Amino acid sequence: MGSKSEQEFTQIGRNVLIDGDITGKTDLRIAGKVHGSVIIDGELILEKLGIIEGDVKCGAAILAGVIKGNVDCKKKLVLQDNAKILGNVKAEQLVIDEGAILQGNCDMN
């Protein structure tokens, strides 16, 4: 596997709506809306206006948008001040900024 700078990176723009599941081995940045699950091996970045209506499984995540579903993060999960999760969270490490909302159970292993 190449260095972090050589890895693939996928971006979903602000005006994009995806109706279906997303799977992949790359890092993923979402500024738009996804109706479906997101399953990636890399890092997920959910921008402030980004919305995911479905479950998320990822290697690591930095969230500033809204997720209506469960989040299963293998490594570090960061909820920035605008983040809102309506579902259960599972992560190795969890950072919650002041103002973030987590409405569900949390499991840290």
Side-chain angles (χ1 to χ4, degrees):
M1 182 176 236
S3 70
K4 185 74 171 171
S5 62
E6 295 173 356
Q7 284 183 324
E8 259 187 81
F9 179 79
T10 303
Q11 182 162 335
I12 296 171
R14 186 179 315 157
N15 296 316
V16 175
L17 166 64
I18 293 184
D19 193 8
D21 298 340
I22 297 173
T23 59
K25 297 184 183 290
T26 67
D27 292 341
L28 176 63
R29 178 183 296 267
I30 298 175
K33 191 170 188 177
V34 176
H35 290 256
S37 64
V38 175
I39 302 169
I40 60 169
D41 291 340
E43 181 180 57
L44 171 66
I45 299 172
L46 183 64
E47 294 186 2
K48 287 183 181 183
L49 299 177
I51 299 172
I52 299 172
E53 294 180 349
D55 292 339
V56 172
K57 289 186 179 183
C58 59
I62 300 172
L63 308 177
V66 176
I67 295 180
K68 297 177 182 176
N70 299 321
V71 177
D72 185 349
C73 191
K74 292 178 187 173
K75 298 178 184 171
K76 188 174 184 177
L77 172 61
V78 177
L79 304 182
Q80 294 181 335
D81 60 352
N82 289 337
K84 184 175 186 179
I85 297 180
L86 305 175
N88 298 324
V89 169
K90 183 177 181 181
E92 185 176 297
Q93 297 177 348
L94 178 62
V95 177
I96 302 176
D97 288 350
E98 185 176 349
I101 295 172
L102 171 57
Q103 188 173 349
N105 294 318
C106 179
D107 179 13
M108 295 177 65
N109 46 2

